[in-house]
Amino acid sequence: MTLPNIFAEEVGGQVIHRINHLSPTSTPKWGKMTVGQMLAHCCVSYEMIYEDIHPKPNGFMRFILKNLVKSKVVSGVPYKHNLRTAPQFLMKETKNFDVEKERLINYIKKTQESGINSFDGKESHSFGKLSNDEWNNMLYKHLDHHLSQFGV
């Protein structure tokens, strides 16, 4: 399944438009995260690309991630509701909606400005080198899943 191209200005704009329809009082259709926590959770994918704040998995864990998790994350198949997430994606503390919203939008814009070609063969935090399509699927699918979770 081919997903919309998050690197395309139109698609990124549509995602940002959806984010802008969230409010601090938006509630999830499923799951336990608040809207601020969800936005912070979505930022983690981008933190792993642009920031050096999350420890990389050790060799054994990376082997497991590449061989058991990667195909589910980078495919075009949508995520099911209430799946378990990696520890660095867990948001337990309260998050500031406005701060997290701005961070996520800025990460999406930065990714678009970098362009899809800068991602081809780029090493991911957990899965090794990914193709343009795999990067696109991973980033778009995660955003779409959580924005749908909050009804936008």
Side-chain angles (χ1 to χ4, degrees):
M1 169 189 262
T2 302
L3 295 175
N5 181 359
I6 192 65
F7 296 95
E9 189 175 331
E10 181 181 339
V11 173
Q14 290 168 355
V15 170
I16 291 169
H17 180 76
R18 291 169 68 188
I19 292 168
N20 283 327
H21 274 85
L22 295 167
S23 76
T25 59
S26 296
T27 57
K29 294 179 176 183
W30 71 85
K32 299 175 184 174
M33 286 189 286
T34 66
V35 67
Q37 289 172 324
M38 178 274 289
L39 292 167
H41 168 92
C42 288
C43 285
V44 172
S45 297
Y46 294 95
E47 291 170 354
M48 289 180 174
I49 297 169
Y50 298 115
E51 316 293 334
D52 189 22
I53 58 175
H54 298 284
K56 291 193 175 185
N58 64 31
F60 175 74
M61 183 53 77
R62 196 164 178 142
F63 175 82
I64 297 295
L65 291 168
K66 280 178 79 172
N67 291 293
L68 299 177
V69 179
K70 176 184 170 184
S71 63
K72 293 170 182 62
V73 171
V74 301
S75 77
V77 178
Y79 292 125
K80 295 179 181 175
H81 299 176
N82 297 314
L83 288 175
R84 294 189 65 184
T85 193
Q88 54 271 58
F89 285 85
L90 292 173
M91 296 296 143
K92 295 179 181 174
E93 62 279 341
T94 301
K95 297 291 182 177
N96 181 297
F97 171 82
D98 292 317
V99 168
E100 299 304 331
K101 176 181 167 185
E102 181 178 359
R103 277 191 342 120
L104 183 56
I105 289 171
N106 287 338
Y107 278 134
I108 293 167
K109 289 178 178 178
K110 182 175 184 172
T111 300
Q112 287 185 301
E113 289 167 6
S114 298
I116 193 167
N117 292 332
S118 71
F119 280 79
D120 194 30
K122 182 178 178 71
E123 187 87 13
S124 80
H125 187 272
S126 302
F127 304 125
K129 291 183 180 181
L130 299 178
S131 71
N132 290 342
D133 287 340
E134 290 172 324
W135 277 107
N136 178 68
N137 288 350
M138 180 172 67
L139 294 172
Y140 180 84
K141 180 166 72 169
H142 191 230
L143 291 169
D144 184 61
H145 173 78
H146 287 295
L147 293 174
S148 296
Q149 176 186 17
F150 281 81
V152 296

